[in-house]
Amino acid sequence: MSPKQRRGEATADLLLDAALRVHAVAGEHGLTVTAVTALSGVSMGSLYHHFGSVEGLASALHTRWNTRLLEALLTALEPTRTLHTGVRALVRAYLTFIQEHRDAALFLHSSGTSRAAMRQGRQVHETQEARLSGFAGWLGPRIAAGDIAALPAPLIEALVMGPIVATARRWLSGVEDVDLAEAARLLPDRICRSLAP
């Protein structure tokens, strides 16, 4: 990588880091070009050069942190052998991720990010597809062995991730009745039952 490319990458990283901090403090409506450039010390022109718009910056921020979350989930899943140990690893990895990266988790679970992801559904899916193939590869032999119901992959994903994401959203919203340690203990059995053949 040339020095110019390294400087460009460093500038993009500054903008992404600033955008996450702005979102954490001011929410999705506070995520503006002015706020991000003021916090990062990077010019407006550089933001437009790297991301095209504040929406492009938000999309890149989503890709960055969603990629990191998916990598954490797949890393946790890979060494597991059974449905139960796999689901337990996914639950723990997800809940640990939101605790360790609260600002990023707030961004990923925000209503604005969800709306944007829905508008760009195909693009988001294509970006994630390579990483999700690891999940599909893990599921395949367990479906073939009859350990998991032979459901369409999107439904399996919804049955596994739906309860985890709902729990994460509730915890991130500040509701006091969510105990993540208890969720990590109870959710895997319930999820596994929903996948029974």
Side-chain angles (χ1 to χ4, degrees), residues 7 36-37 39 51 71 86 89 91 108 140 149 163 169 186 188 192-194:
R7 284 193 305 275
V36 172
T37 55
L39 184 61
F51 301 104
E71 287 171 354
V91 170
L108 288 174
R169 285 182 190 272
L186 296 176
C192 288
R193 285 184 211 163
S194 74

Side-chain angles (χ1 to χ4, degrees), residues 6-7 14 23 34 36 42 48 53 73 84 87 102 107 109 121 127 131 142 187 192:
R6 279 195 295 275
R7 284 193 305 275
L14 279 172
H23 184 274
T34 303
V36 172
V42 175
Y48 287 117
S53 64
L73 296 178
H84 194 271
V87 170
R102 185 180 176 90
F107 176 77
H109 293 85
T127 302
R131 289 170 190 85
R142 285 147 188 91
L187 283 177
C192 288

Side-chain angles (χ1 to χ4, degrees), residues 74 77-78 128-142:
L74 288 175
L77 183 64
E78 282 174 3
Q128 295 177 356
E129 194 165 358
R131 289 170 190 85
L132 292 176
S133 65
F135 183 59
W138 187 89
L139 284 172
R142 285 147 188 91

Side-chain angles (χ1 to χ4, degrees), residues 66-168:
N66 198 46
T67 297
R68 291 176 181 177
L69 173 58
L70 288 172
E71 287 171 354
L73 296 178
L74 288 175
T75 298
L77 183 64
E78 282 174 3
T80 64
R81 300 253 182 257
T82 68
L83 172 61
H84 194 271
T85 58
V87 170
R88 187 172 54 232
L90 285 174
V91 170
R92 287 182 178 163
Y94 201 106
L95 298 181
T96 298
F97 185 92
I98 67 165
Q99 290 175 84
E100 292 177 353
H101 306 285
R102 185 180 176 90
D103 290 349
L106 283 166
F107 176 77
L108 288 174
H109 293 85
S110 72
S111 58
T113 302
S114 296
R115 284 191 304 273
M118 288 180 76
R119 281 193 308 272
Q120 302 167 348
R122 180 166 297 287
Q123 179 185 353
V124 169
H125 177 74
E126 288 169 0
T127 302
Q128 295 177 356
E129 194 165 358
R131 289 170 190 85
L132 292 176
S133 65
F135 183 59
W138 187 89
L139 284 172
R142 285 147 188 91
I143 293 171
D147 298 334
I148 300 173
L151 299 169
L155 293 182
I156 292 175
E157 182 184 339
L159 289 170
V160 173
M161 298 309 297
I164 305 169
V165 172
T167 301

